[in-house]
Amino acid sequence: MSISPLMPVYPRCGVRPVRGEHCHLISDDGRRFLDFAAGIAVNALGHSHQGLIGALQKQAETLMHVSNLYGSPQGEDVAKRLTELTFADTVFFTNSGAEAVECSIKTARAYHQSAGSERFEIITFDNAFHGRTLATISASSQEKMHKGFYPLLPGFKYVEFNDLEAAKAAIGPNTAAFLVEPIQGEGGIRIATDEFLQGLRALCDEHDLLLILDEVQSGVGRSGTFYAYEQYGITPDIMATAKGIGGGFPVGACLATEKAARGMVAGTHGSTYGGNPFAMAAIGAVLDVVPDEAFLADVRAKGERLRSRIGQFIGNYPDLFEDVRGRGLFIGIKLKVEPRGFVAHMRDNHQVLTVSAGDNVVRVVPPLVIDDTHIDEFMEKLSAAAASYTVEKAD
Ligand SMILES: *Cc1c(COP(=O)(O)O)cnc(C)c1O
């Protein structure tokens, strides 16, 4: 037998982490890495955070799982906190980002179909990433995710990101909603313009469509506000959240206004694990830290320091770097070359972890709890990596 016991769908690298310490990861061969990937924008509180560990230990000893057949004081408490912190009136808990987007799509269709309309179509945007289930790959225009998995789920139409006129032109009699990331993560830290998101909001109001935001990556403080939509002066009708919300525990949520959720009545949707007490303890620990205004102001300040230092530095290597962009600690360095080689070089030769993304971008998504020593360490490693990469390329 030649297939690996782990289904070989990931091209895994040679780093095999076995321990996390705050903003560093230690691999099984004893190497120590600065973790500016954070599990792809997941470990918002870094590794080994005492509040998160304590909450999970306590919950594991008390009650780990019960069915959604029963009342959930743990779920009610966390849902209430999330509704107080956001636009939403109601929350469905999931186990992942893709499931949160799935629930968002179902909520949008049910909004129309529970009221006697047959509308089903969701307009999405080029280079979007919404997850790897059949519905969520169907929601993305990226053919590399479709190949081998046809037929796709019908009912999605793709238009250019940040092109409001194209979005408007795509609206038809069956359109139910727009689904959009305010800041595209996998797509390469591409930021929606104010006019675009505000324009989508206005189109939704005008045509009785729902605005679904996928904030799975941009949310939970990553972009410098609790959710990125706050920076646009608009609110969505439905929003998917995950990644940072569990600080490393696999959990997500679909948030909605009362009106948008009008079709989601008893018996329409469910999940065996969704919102179990263990997952609620993880979210509770993250909510104890991240939504605090002083914490978020610190994320914005650190993000600005890191971005401006990267911006000043990359001018030294105009053949390698093009620009730096982002909000908060959701940062992308655009290269003039394919980024995977440089990400691997930084990792293998300079012990710093980042993630490649679309549009030739290196994603820099550290834990939100970094301090200036981590920024210094990152800049030293980036600088050493750029110097040695140029030399290697010149050989
Ligand atoms: C990661 C991501 C998802 C999918 O989340 P999973 O937990 O991997 O299912 C969906 N949307 C966006 C924007 C993401 O970044």
Side-chain angles (χ1 to χ4, degrees), residues 25 70 92 174 184 358:
L25 276 179
Y70 308 103
F92 181 88
N174 287 325
Q184 289 189 338

Side-chain angles (χ1 to χ4, degrees), residues 40 95-99 101 129-133 136 181 183-186 214-218 240 242-243 251 363:
I40 314 190
N95 312 292
S96 68
E99 285 172 83
V101 177
F129 182 81
H130 298 298
R132 293 290 201 152
T133 62
T136 55
E181 297 156 87
I183 303 174
Q184 289 189 338
E186 308 290 322
D214 181 346
E215 290 232 32
V216 168
Q217 198 160 159
S218 57
K243 291 205 165 89
V251 58
R363 252 180 297 177

